[in-house]
Amino acid sequence: MSLTPQGPSTSDGQGRHGGGGRRRGGSKGDGPRRRRRALRWSATVLSVLILGTAGAGYLYYQHLNGNIQKGRRDIGDSKASKTAPNAAGQTPLNILLIGSDSRNSARNLQLGGHRESVGSPPLADVQMLIHLSADRKSAAMVSIPRDTRVEIPKCTDPDTGKVYPATDDIINTTLARGGAGCTLATWQNLTGVYIDHWMTIDFAGVVSMADAIGGVDVCVKQNVWDHSTPTVRGGSGLKMTAGTHKVKGEKALQWLRTRHAWGSDLMRARAQHMYLNSMIRTLKKQNVFTDTGRLTDLAEAATSSLKVSEEIGTVKKLYDLGMELKSVPTDRITSVTMPNVEDARNRDHVVPDGANADKLWQMLRDDVPLDKNGKNDKGTDAKKKTGKGPAAKPASVDASRLGVTVQNATGTSTEPAVGGRANAIAQELAGKGYAGAGADRTAALSEDKTVVRYPSAELEGDAQRVAKALGIPLSAVQKSTDVSGVTVVVGSDWRTGAAYPKQSAPKAGDLPSNSDAINGSDTKQCMDVYKVYQW
């Protein structure tokens, strides 16, 4: 039986067949039309799919942004200036990473113990500055031990308005004084390093991030068990045999929290540096962008785990930061701990080790690499990096008519202020024609570096001229609302002499011997276990 109509086909002259008859394959003119209809239909379906996927992607992006908690960057009385740009106009990037010991959630309590701590403000038990060089070719991770006694500035809680007066205490208490912005302000005052952002993470966040990464290799030289002993209570619970192990989840948190088994907080910082270096090496080997499940897990973990300063409170900005860090070769990443000595007031605490700590802070301020692996790295100052120093501004009045206040800030955490320094420098200025120079005998300050401050733009040239008269570099001239006129703050770097001492520029990799430096490419690092905690 034939499936085609019988009889001749007729045409209306426009390629359309009459008489209802149609060949099985259609006419020559029908094929292109059907193909065009099919293409139009395919394009429509594809457009719907693309729009639907984009909509879902946008909603998921908004979901991730909604996960991120944010807070004020700086809530304290802090003074720090950004490092001058290099010849290409680039500036360093500094991020303060803070590990909170909060027990104010069921999960954090389960992971951290100590039920009596529930409801108490969290402490900043881990504090680490991540420094990315201006050219993004090197990086540093710098820890300050949690029991370091420092000067903490006045801080104001941005949510409640509560004011915490300036005090002298260990640095881990800063998080409880209004939030991470107070920790940042304390670091800025201690180091003179301008810190762009902060990030905080709690116990539960560490666990979820460790799981999302898929594990990190760590090493111990002896079997370790960090547990309570008859003489020392507490412990992280970390238990593993000698050798290299991949840790994730709660085991990773135990590694990062272990202190007793390593012998001290200083060794805990080393273990944390080893973990982070290993984590960076692990992430560099992974290509999560080809694994949707892994990428989603990482995105969820990161955005749900972190609280960040508000300027970086989006997925895109966090992603961009991650990509900048990932671009640094591992052999150009250096982990160090602030050089420190025992606190004379409390042997359980430490204080910055004077000149050695100052040298490290200067390297960060001047963006000098902490490693020696760069091809063209040299010690440099702001003048060499930009090709010229700060431009001198015209003075507003004659030197003899300018009022200049001199403050004595030569005291440090280990040495008292040198008596009479403000008066001595005021007299030196008077001898150079500054008849209006006088000592401020009421100020009780502590500054690592000597600076000249001025309150408004019209006095900038006057402040620069005062700095020049004393031999102070123009890079140390700062605008500040904390002064009412040109003010010379004599820091601990100028404890003697009438002329400001010449400062030698630090060289790449020339670190203090007690900074416990570890290179990011070193895969042979392994922790020694304190004998009491070996099994």
Side-chain angles (χ1 to χ4, degrees):
M1 185 176 182
S2 175
L3 296 178
T4 57
Q6 299 300 310
S9 155
T10 60
S11 171
D12 62 4
Q14 297 179 14
R16 293 187 294 269
H17 294 282
R22 185 175 291 237
R23 289 188 177 89
R24 197 174 185 180
S27 71
K28 291 181 180 179
D30 192 45
R33 247 180 119 241
R34 293 179 67 190
R35 284 195 294 273
R36 285 195 298 273
R37 284 199 301 271
L39 288 171
R40 282 197 300 272
W41 171 250
S42 298
T44 301
V45 172
L46 185 60
S47 298
V48 170
L49 289 173
I50 290 173
L51 288 172
T53 304
Y58 174 76
L59 290 175
Y60 185 62
Y61 178 78
Q62 292 300 95
H63 158 72
L64 292 176
N65 278 337
N67 283 346
I68 303 171
Q69 299 181 69
K70 297 179 280 291
R72 285 265 301 278
R73 174 190 157 271
D74 184 353
I75 61 170
D77 289 346
S78 65
K79 308 173 189 68
S81 300
K82 285 195 173 186
T83 300
N86 62 16
Q90 304 163 307
T91 55
L93 180 65
N94 294 299
I95 306 164
L96 184 60
L97 179 62
I98 303 168
S100 161
D101 76 344
S102 172
R103 272 85 170 182
N104 296 331
S105 74
R107 181 59 172 153
N108 280 329
L109 179 61
Q110 177 190 3
L111 293 168
H114 299 303
R115 193 169 295 275
E116 62 271 19
S117 300
V118 174
S120 301
L123 299 175
D125 273 358
V126 177
Q127 298 181 34
M128 193 179 301
L129 183 70
I130 300 172
H131 171 89
L132 284 173
S133 65
D135 60 12
R136 303 303 190 258
K137 292 181 179 178
S138 67
M141 294 188 290
V142 183
S143 291
I144 292 181
R146 68 172 188 171
D147 290 333
T148 302
R149 181 169 60 82
V150 294
E151 298 290 336
I152 302 173
K154 181 180 77 172
C155 294
T156 304
D157 190 314
D159 297 324
T160 66
K162 181 177 179 179
V163 176
Y164 296 85
T167 187
D168 177 1
D169 204 346
I170 57 175
I171 200 166
N172 78 331
T173 64
T174 53
L175 191 61
R177 298 169 60 83
C182 189
T183 308
L184 179 144
T186 303
W187 269 74
Q188 288 197 154
N189 282 357
L190 175 67
T191 67
V193 175
Y194 181 89
I195 300 174
D196 300 272
H197 316 296
W198 54 256
M199 299 180 182
T200 66
I201 189 168
D202 58 16
F203 295 155
V206 170
V207 171
S208 61
M209 283 294 291
D211 280 338
I213 292 167
V216 167
D217 287 339
V218 296
C219 176
V220 287
K221 292 182 180 178
Q222 303 88 15
N223 296 349
V224 60
W225 184 20
D226 192 53
H227 64 293
S228 288
T229 69
T231 55
V232 181
R233 292 195 59 196
S236 70
L238 178 69
K239 189 173 186 179
M240 61 173 59
T241 56
T244 299
H245 300 266
K246 188 179 291 293
V247 296
K248 61 180 181 177
E250 292 187 31
K251 185 74 79 173
L253 177 64
Q254 290 173 341
W255 176 272
L256 293 168
R257 293 188 64 217
T258 294
R259 174 168 56 111
H260 299 146
W262 310 142
S264 69
D265 264 330
L266 305 180
M267 291 300 98
R268 174 161 71 170
R270 177 187 289 183
Q272 291 166 351
H273 292 159
M274 287 166 54
Y275 178 92
L276 288 173
N277 284 335
S278 181
M279 182 184 76
I280 291 169
R281 292 194 299 267
T282 300
L283 287 172
K284 278 180 171 288
K285 293 176 184 176
Q286 296 176 348
N287 187 1
V288 296
F289 301 102
T290 62
D291 186 336
T292 305
R294 289 287 312 285
L295 180 59
T296 300
D297 288 346
L298 274 171
E300 286 285 354
T303 56
S304 300
S305 302
L306 295 171
K307 182 174 181 178
V308 302
S309 53
E310 53 199 2
E311 329 78 44
I312 53 169
T314 68
V315 172
K316 183 182 184 308
K317 290 178 179 178
L318 290 175
Y319 171 82
D320 290 344
L321 286 178
M323 290 300 99
E324 290 196 76
L325 181 59
K326 189 176 180 180
S327 69
V328 179
T330 53
D331 70 341
R332 301 299 315 280
I333 300 173
T334 308
S335 303
V336 297
T337 299
M338 176 196 73
N340 58 85
V341 294
E342 186 178 289
D343 184 1
R345 286 166 36 180
N346 185 335
R347 63 180 301 177
D348 291 330
H349 299 162
V350 298
V351 291
D353 180 15
N356 282 330
D358 289 345
K359 183 178 182 180
L360 175 60
W361 306 145
Q362 185 182 356
M363 293 180 77
L364 294 174
R365 288 193 300 267
D366 292 350
D367 198 27
V368 177
L370 302 194
D371 69 284
K372 296 181 179 179
N373 297 329
K375 293 181 180 178
N376 301 310
D377 289 337
K378 296 178 181 178
T380 185
D381 56 22
K383 180 177 179 180
K384 291 178 182 176
K385 282 188 293 186
T386 59
K388 59 181 180 178
K393 302 293 176 66
S396 66
V397 297
D398 184 74
S400 62
R401 296 169 51 208
L402 180 69
V404 182
T405 300
V406 182
Q407 297 176 337
N408 184 352
T410 56
T412 70
S413 54
T414 57
E415 298 176 291
V418 178
R421 283 302 286 159
N423 189 58
I425 301 306
Q427 289 180 3
E428 180 68 16
L429 277 172
K432 295 178 179 294
Y434 288 90
D440 178 0
R441 294 180 174 82
T442 63
L445 304 173
S446 176
E447 296 275 356
D448 291 329
K449 292 290 183 181
T450 298
V451 294
V452 181
R453 296 191 172 116
Y454 62 95
S456 53
E458 61 268 20
L459 289 175
E460 183 177 3
D462 300 288
Q464 289 177 334
R465 190 168 61 176
V466 168
K468 186 176 180 181
L470 294 171
I472 300 170
L474 293 188
S475 58
V477 178
Q478 304 172 351
K479 185 178 180 181
S480 172
T481 56
D482 292 336
V483 295
S484 57
V486 176
T487 303
V488 178
V489 183
V490 184
S492 60
D493 61 339
W494 192 11
R495 293 173 64 86
T496 60
Y500 184 70
K502 296 287 185 181
Q503 304 291 313
S504 59
K507 297 179 181 179
D510 186 19
L511 284 164
S513 59
N514 58 343
S515 60
D516 196 27
I518 300 175
N519 187 271
S521 63
D522 187 351
T523 60
K524 297 180 180 179
Q525 288 288 324
C526 208
M527 289 300 295
D528 263 312
V529 180
Y530 188 45
K531 192 168 183 62
V532 176
Y533 298 93
Q534 296 178 18
W535 59 279

